Amino acid sequence: MTTERAVEDLSLEELEADGDLAADYIEGLLDIADLDGDIDIEVANGRVYVSVTGGDEELDRLATADAVQALQDLARLAVQARAGRFSRLIVDIGGSRDARANELTRMVDAAVAQIAAGRSEVELEPMSSYERKLVHDEVAERGYHSESRGEGRDRRLVISKR
């Protein structure tokens, strides 16, 4: 059984435990940085979503894509160290994931418009695997085709007609 397969087969209890481990880790980081924030944990679609919210302006400044990605990577490593398995948890700070999802939808809108105007394909900016998944789903829902190209931090989606 591969690690990825094992992740997909985690029970609700294991996912919730991963969420608790990630929340404890993030809470510790917030305490060290002297930042206030509330942490919410949700399990949906085989993933754990850990959201940090609060009225702290300093916390809001951390809601950049790079900072959220870095916090997510650190939280995943902390969960892996404690649970002994990879976690596909998703971290959000102050609604930044929803804002990014809206931005990605606008990118798909623009790409589809360009294809409708005659372009054979449209290449999007590099993005994380989670963002690429969101875009793949959005593109498929609209009846178009998407594929990932490139490696590492330069991996991006190319959208075309089916």
Side-chain angles (χ1 to χ4, degrees):
M1 179 181 291
T2 67
T3 303
E4 187 65 29
R5 184 75 192 136
V7 168
E8 293 172 2
D9 291 338
L10 293 179
S11 69
L12 178 61
E13 291 79 19
E14 289 169 315
L15 291 168
E16 288 173 342
D18 286 359
D20 289 339
L21 290 171
D24 289 346
Y25 178 78
I26 292 169
E27 186 174 348
L29 286 178
L30 292 175
D31 286 346
I32 290 168
D34 196 28
L35 296 172
D36 292 325
D38 297 320
I39 300 175
D40 296 314
I41 304 168
E42 179 184 349
V43 175
N45 302 320
R47 286 187 186 250
V48 178
Y49 295 83
V50 178
S51 300
V52 182
T53 59
D56 194 316
E57 287 181 31
E58 292 294 320
L59 182 64
D60 290 342
R61 285 187 225 161
L62 286 176
T64 66
D66 288 341
V68 173
Q69 185 65 47
L71 181 59
Q72 177 174 288
D73 292 344
L74 289 170
R76 283 179 173 180
L77 287 171
V79 169
Q80 185 174 358
R82 297 285 308 275
R85 64 177 173 271
F86 178 74
S87 175
R88 292 177 25 195
L89 73 94
I90 303 297
V91 173
D92 180 44
I93 299 174
S96 63
R97 292 277 181 193
D98 287 338
R100 180 64 173 157
N102 291 334
E103 184 179 335
L104 293 171
T105 298
R106 288 190 299 276
M107 283 184 199
V108 172
D109 291 341
V112 167
Q114 290 178 47
I115 292 168
R119 287 193 62 182
S120 61
E121 63 181 31
V122 176
E123 187 175 276
L124 301 180
E125 67 185 40
M127 56 187 74
S128 71
S129 60
Y130 177 72
E131 291 172 338
R132 287 192 310 274
K133 183 197 180 321
L134 293 177
V135 173
H136 278 303
D137 292 347
E138 181 74 23
V139 168
E141 194 174 291
R142 295 177 187 212
Y144 287 82
H145 174 75
S146 61
E147 65 181 69
S148 294
R149 293 185 189 162
E151 299 295 325
R153 296 185 68 83
D154 291 328
R155 194 149 174 88
R156 62 188 68 228
L157 280 167
V158 178
I159 300 172
S160 60
K161 289 183 179 178
R162 285 206 181 261

